[in-house]
Amino acid sequence: MPTFRTLEAGVESPFAWLRLVAAVVLGTIGSVGMWSMPVVLPAVQADFGAARADASLPFTLAMIGFAFGIVAPVACGAIALSSGYVAAAFAPNLMVFALVHILIGIGTSASFGPLIADTSQWFTRRRGIAVAIVSSGNYVGGAIWPPILHHFVATEGWRATHIGVGAFCALTMLPFMLALWRRAPMQGGEAADAFVAGTQRGIGLSPNALQVVLCIAGLSCCVAMAMPQVHIVAYCGDLGYGVARGAEMLALMLGFGIFSRIASGFIADRIGGVATLLLSSVLQGVALLLYVFFDGLASLYVISALFGLFQGGIVPMYAIIVRQYFSPQEAGTRLGIVLMATLFGMALGGWMSGVIFDLTGSYQAAFVNGLVWNLVNVSIALWLLTRPAGGLQTGEAPLLFARHSGDGRG
């Protein structure tokens, strides 16, 4: 009977696939820190008698904690996540409740960025699809958690639900850490380093300037993405459909996002990360535009499914793009910074949409605001694609794979 110690621990080995499964499960459980607040937002707002923008603050702080905790070990993240939920259950006011969500965000971070970075080092020929699969754990959790949370909030109250979530995370996440015990076996290759240097020269930007451009792109796409994801439950409540319908739409949105994330891996292996980012961003804009013009119950279900299907592949593409443009020695740090920017975008977008709602009394202007931010991301992706080194080039995939194999073979 093979064990964690006896399984071969090479690139794309059975152990690598085992790690991938464990990472997806950890991502699914840990993502509760992202998806609980949109579900409990109406109940928390009513309980504390707060404005919509103020009630959106816990999500904003959770995303800030998510961003700053991107390098936290999984073990500390699981403990922080569990402790944060239990502490939130006993919050005497909205400010304490919001501040505790920084801890929840730090805990949630361990189930996203570190797992993506780790998985990318265990695969070569199938790196695109592996990164897509591990990042889909976040959306698997988004499809599973909202209806579960809504049920328990409605029957037991949001405080008891938070205690239960904290206990569940502590009991389930830590055992899966056993599969992540070994370090990645791969080393960089000189051919890949030369290729990366060539792509940076071709694009006409220094590494730090390119880093800033990617961060702006990540921030912009996620400000747009946050509007439906954070506020769809409250939006349905305002329209008179009930928060239960909104929770179902959120689960539908994120469920279709699973298919989008996995499909994006296959597409990126064929047309490149930048082109896939542009395609996904354009389609996300189309879905946001549909939200502006249609607010019927059936229409919102359809648009939410389309939104999930269109935007699920955006964030994983930054991992592919960073691997294309930066050397392996700095790719991990560069990717962490870009992912941090995307999370700041989620934080800003969630809070900004609440402020716009309080100022205008509706979400129409918030959807338009999302479209403007999405246009920034589309413009950057289009500019990168039109640069000499922007598209998928002949021989790019083998060289990228060679970066992480000591002998240069894929």
Side-chain angles (χ1 to χ4, degrees), residues 29-385:
I29 299 172
S31 66
V32 65
M34 287 192 68
W35 309 123
S36 64
M37 193 56 218
V39 176
V40 304
L41 191 154
V44 169
Q45 181 183 6
D47 195 7
F48 291 122
R52 183 63 53 81
D54 294 336
S56 302
L57 183 61
F59 180 86
T60 298
L61 294 181
M63 291 300 97
I64 292 175
F66 198 151
F68 280 116
I70 210 72
V71 296
V74 174
C76 293
I79 293 171
L81 186 64
S82 302
S83 302
Y85 269 99
V86 174
F90 295 97
N93 54 59
L94 181 60
M95 182 53 64
V96 174
F97 181 79
L99 291 174
V100 168
H101 273 72
I102 297 178
L103 186 61
I104 292 176
I106 292 173
T108 303
S109 71
S111 66
F112 189 66
L115 297 179
I116 293 176
D118 176 78
T119 298
S120 70
Q121 299 181 68
W122 284 85
F123 292 87
T124 54
R125 291 182 297 273
R126 301 179 181 88
R127 180 176 296 139
I129 187 59
V131 168
I133 290 174
V134 72
S135 65
S136 71
N138 178 269
Y139 273 15
V140 173
I144 293 174
W145 279 114
I148 294 175
L149 291 169
H150 177 265
H151 169 76
F152 283 105
V153 169
T155 57
E156 305 295 335
W158 66 267
R159 294 181 185 272
T161 300
H162 276 67
I163 294 175
V165 169
F168 179 81
C169 289
L171 293 173
T172 56
M173 292 183 70
L174 295 177
F176 281 96
M177 289 171 49
L178 295 174
L180 308 180
W181 192 260
R182 296 180 182 175
R183 296 178 64 86
M186 294 165 277
Q187 303 293 328
E190 293 182 1
D193 290 340
F195 174 77
V196 170
T199 61
Q200 290 177 349
R201 288 193 300 270
I203 206 169
L205 292 177
S206 68
N208 289 336
L210 179 58
Q211 177 82 75
V212 172
V213 169
L214 292 177
C215 286
I216 294 173
L219 178 94
S220 302
C221 74
C222 288
V223 168
M225 192 183 299
M227 169 55 228
Q229 290 186 351
V230 179
H231 290 273
I232 189 65
V233 177
Y235 183 42
C236 286
D238 294 338
L239 292 174
Y241 302 135
V243 294
R245 304 288 80 78
E248 292 171 356
M249 291 178 197
L250 179 61
L252 184 68
M253 182 188 302
L254 300 173
F256 273 85
I258 299 169
F259 297 103
S260 176
R261 290 208 159 171
I262 295 176
S264 71
F266 288 106
I267 295 173
D269 285 339
R270 286 159 177 78
I271 68 174
V274 176
T276 306
L277 174 66
L278 176 61
L279 175 63
S280 298
S281 189
V282 169
L283 292 175
Q284 175 175 263
V286 171
L288 285 170
L289 187 63
L290 292 175
Y291 274 117
V292 174
F293 293 105
F294 302 96
D295 61 2
L297 181 60
S299 298
L300 287 177
Y301 273 108
V302 173
I303 297 171
S304 295
L306 289 175
F307 185 82
L309 191 62
F310 291 162
Q311 56 79 40
I314 292 178
V315 173
M317 287 308 101
Y318 292 112
I320 305 300
I321 293 170
V322 166
R323 291 293 185 185
Q324 174 182 344
Y325 287 111
F326 296 99
S327 68
Q329 291 78 15
E330 59 182 346
T333 301
R334 299 286 189 180
L335 176 58
I337 294 172
V338 174
L339 291 178
M340 182 183 294
T342 66
L343 293 163
F344 278 131
M346 290 294 293
L348 178 63
W351 172 79
M352 187 184 297
S353 297
V355 170
I356 293 173
F357 175 86
D358 288 337
L359 292 175
T360 64
S362 78
Y363 279 118
Q364 295 304 304
F367 283 120
V368 174
N369 176 66
L371 277 167
V372 173
W373 284 93
N374 192 76
L375 183 60
V376 174
N377 181 258
V378 169
S379 300
I380 292 174
L382 183 61
W383 180 79
L384 287 173
L385 188 64

